[in-house]
Amino acid sequence: MSTPTSTPTDLPKDTVGFAKHDHHGCIASAVETAEGHCADKGLQLTPVRRRVLEILLKRHQALGAYEILDVLRNEGMGSQPPVAYRALDFLVTNGFAHKIERLNAFVACAHPCQDHAPIFMICKSCSAVAETHSDLSLGRLGQAAADVGFEIERMVVEVEGRCPNCKPSAKGPTT
């Protein structure tokens, strides 16, 4: 009998993506946050922008613009690439989504409307993406930058490995 060395519940409390949670509540809460932020800032969360956010929230995987466009096309919300790219640009610019550079894809932000330095953990087996964040003032990178007088304005870290569902479990000797 084998026991995994860690489980999804071992992740930091603010890490979103690998841990089991109320997914419908997660989506509703994120959309409500986006609606409130847009109302406060005088921004328009158009039906297409809202739908793209919902699409990103449905899976904790990074999605390419053309994957999103396929969903929009099937739902009759547009078939031209600028439709998806404009919505994604709005979501990224306003902190509701992030671009995962390594994958050239997008993921919903786990900490919308918060100033944070995201760290993305990307599963190389199933492509799931979890987001957590770092406090630059407490880490070595922040200290190294301060030591040389460098002011970090933006930081995104992407790490690749295996999520709790895909990593091999620690196995003892078999009998």
Side-chain angles (χ1 to χ4, degrees):
M1 180 169 174
S2 67
T3 352
T5 56
S6 67
T7 64
T9 55
D10 292 337
L11 295 169
K13 194 165 94 176
D14 59 352
T15 299
V16 177
F18 300 143
K20 294 194 184 317
H21 62 285
D22 174 9
H23 203 58
H24 293 292
C26 164
I27 293 169
S29 174
V31 170
E32 186 178 310
T33 297
E35 289 171 337
H37 179 77
C38 288
D40 291 347
K41 301 288 183 190
L43 303 170
Q44 290 188 347
L45 187 63
T46 64
V48 171
R49 291 170 177 171
R50 178 191 171 104
R51 184 63 187 126
V52 170
L53 179 59
E54 290 169 344
I55 293 166
L56 290 173
L57 289 163
K58 265 191 159 176
R59 292 194 276 166
H60 290 292
Q61 287 184 310
L63 298 173
Y66 283 92
E67 291 173 281
I68 294 167
L69 185 60
D70 286 343
V71 175
L72 294 175
R73 181 183 304 113
N74 291 337
E75 295 177 359
M77 297 188 85
S79 61
Q80 299 300 313
V83 171
Y85 281 110
R86 283 188 203 122
L88 288 164
D89 181 57
F90 173 86
L91 296 173
V92 169
T93 299
N94 290 288
F96 306 124
H98 297 287
K99 183 172 184 184
I100 307 292
E101 298 294 336
R102 187 204 158 293
L103 302 174
N104 193 27
F106 300 85
V107 65
C109 179
H111 308 284
C113 305
Q114 296 177 20
D115 187 22
H116 63 286
I119 298 172
F120 298 105
M121 296 170 278
I122 305 164
C123 180
K124 63 183 185 179
S125 296
C126 71
S127 299
V129 176
E131 176 186 347
T132 190
H133 60 91
S134 174
D135 184 344
L136 286 177
S137 64
L138 300 176
R140 289 183 184 167
L141 181 59
Q143 185 58 54
D147 289 349
V148 296
F150 184 81
E151 181 181 343
I152 298 173
E153 293 180 356
R154 178 178 175 267
M155 179 187 87
V156 177
V157 177
E158 298 176 7
V159 296
E160 193 176 68
R162 286 197 169 75
C163 74
N165 294 325
C166 294
K167 77 177 185 180
S169 59
K171 295 184 179 187
T174 56
T175 55

